[in-house]
Amino acid sequence: MRRTAPRSTLRKIIKKHKPQLRLAANADLLVHLNFLLFLHRLAEEARTNAFENKSKIIKPEHIISAAKVL
């Protein structure tokens, strides 16, 4: 059985960690959460690509190759 958090709890978490994100009353929270999770995965993959190339700076090509993987 899948367990999900109540939408009110998700809304509080998003407002706490991302106050600049404006949520309308009818906004689908799962869309916002999926977007934030995608950005997190993209950042992790880009960081990994930079590390593999022995680069201290994340360059656009690292992000592009990470986006192709995701």
Side-chain angles (χ1 to χ4, degrees):
M1 183 161 138
R2 281 180 60 178
R3 298 178 71 192
T4 57
R7 290 185 184 264
S8 61
T9 304
L10 296 175
R11 185 178 298 275
K12 287 177 191 173
I13 292 170
I14 289 175
K15 284 190 179 213
K16 179 181 176 184
H17 294 288
K18 298 286 181 185
Q20 71 277 12
L21 198 67
R22 304 225 175 186
L23 296 175
N26 60 354
D28 189 8
L29 292 176
L30 296 179
V31 171
H32 290 290
L33 288 175
N34 283 337
F35 177 69
L36 293 174
L37 288 172
F38 171 76
L39 288 179
H40 182 68
R41 286 194 311 257
L42 183 65
E44 288 291 323
E45 190 69 29
R47 191 177 302 122
T48 302
N49 289 343
F51 181 73
E52 288 174 354
N53 292 338
K54 297 180 178 150
S55 175
K56 293 183 179 180
I57 299 172
I58 296 175
K59 298 178 182 171
E61 58 264 15
H62 297 138
I63 297 170
I64 293 170
S65 65
K68 288 179 182 176
V69 169
L70 294 177

